Amino acid sequence: MKAYRAALLRFATDGVPAHSAVYEEDGLLLVGPDARGQQVVQAIGPYADLAPRHARVPCEDLRGRIIAPGFVDLHNHYPQTDVIASPAEGLLPWLEHYTFPEEERFSSPEYCAQAAAFFIAELLRNGVTTSLSFASAHISSVNALFEAARQPQLRLITGLCLMDRHAPDGVRNDTEQSLLDTEALIQKWHGVDRLGYAITPRFAPSCSDAQLRGAGELADRYPQVWIQSHVAENKDEIRWARELFPQSRSYLATYADFGLMRERAIYAHCIHFDDEDRALMRGSGAAAAVSPTSNLFLGSGFFDYAGADRIGMRYGLASDVGGGTSFSPFHTMLAAYVVGREGQTKPGLSLKPQHLWWQHTAGAAAALGLDGRSGHACIGNLQPGCEADFVVLNPQATPLLARRTARASSLDELLFALIVLGDDRVVERTVVSQRTP
Ligand SMILES: [Zn+2]
């Protein structure tokens, strides 16, 4: 058992809105192994209450720092790490000119290994302890990312990118073989340590009917495995998807028609939806990976938070690197605020700082089905029993942050100063829950 004395941030679980934060100015966090040997939160609360009861537990004094849940990134692409910050005329030209040529290089296991090692290190440096990531269409890219995540014990979910048409030679896969490979990779990796598999059709236009149907059959056969894809990001993409799948009611409905919407299905973007799409998300248990820096960068549009909340569909935040412009959850939360404020194409609203933070921690964990319900692991929060993934944040990391946070008169003001002014310099330490035999 180990204790940490610091300011503590976590999210309420019962009786109040889920995105209400609980903040302990002078708190104590106790971490120790559960029955499986996994490091979990054993107790959390005011220092004055807990310290006398745990006087013999070694305690690290981190007063002046904030301990908060590790961030959960619901969507990103590790093969796009090196095409971040590439300009283009929107999504489809960006894929053609930058992304596909780079992804072709992931046929080499050596290239994959060094890219995977950098990517995992960059996530950790930015305070991300769980990631749902795309690999490329090459088996080597999937194996390399799982291997890179295994030693630091990062909770990583990825899968072979399914793409059997409308992409150049070298980044496509064969329909039948890609489905056999997917099943073999599920059996090899899903549930090993903290690793999880995601069935990964890139997006409907890149997949034949046969590939989507096969993916849906696998999703049915392996209900604990995740599904990840893209939907309704860009109007040209939507037109294209409608031409290719005219029998479906909408672009999103295409995925439902192939059996790819259920709990543990995460769809990136979800911008250009109507209420029937939102109801389909809610009814199926699928969730949106809102990717605001990417949507602003590529000019794709603005996620409609009011619409999502009105219908009750689930969502959380994602960097979408490399369409997204930053690995930093702080930059993503700020961009989400800007997207929420936009009031020309949809109702504009001011998302509360606690809500922004929740979307990138406990809310994203709930979207993944990892919020402790029905016997599954709990991440993205620091309630007792949650896996002990956390960040140590320095609210005085820069001169400007020190001045602004010193004036904060409420928790929301403190969190908003960190969201607007923070980046990787705020993250002093990232602690990933370890499992000891
Ligand atoms: Zn993406």
Side-chain angles (χ1 to χ4, degrees), residues 75 77 230 269 320:
H75 175 70
H77 300 250
H230 298 88
H269 308 300
D320 194 24

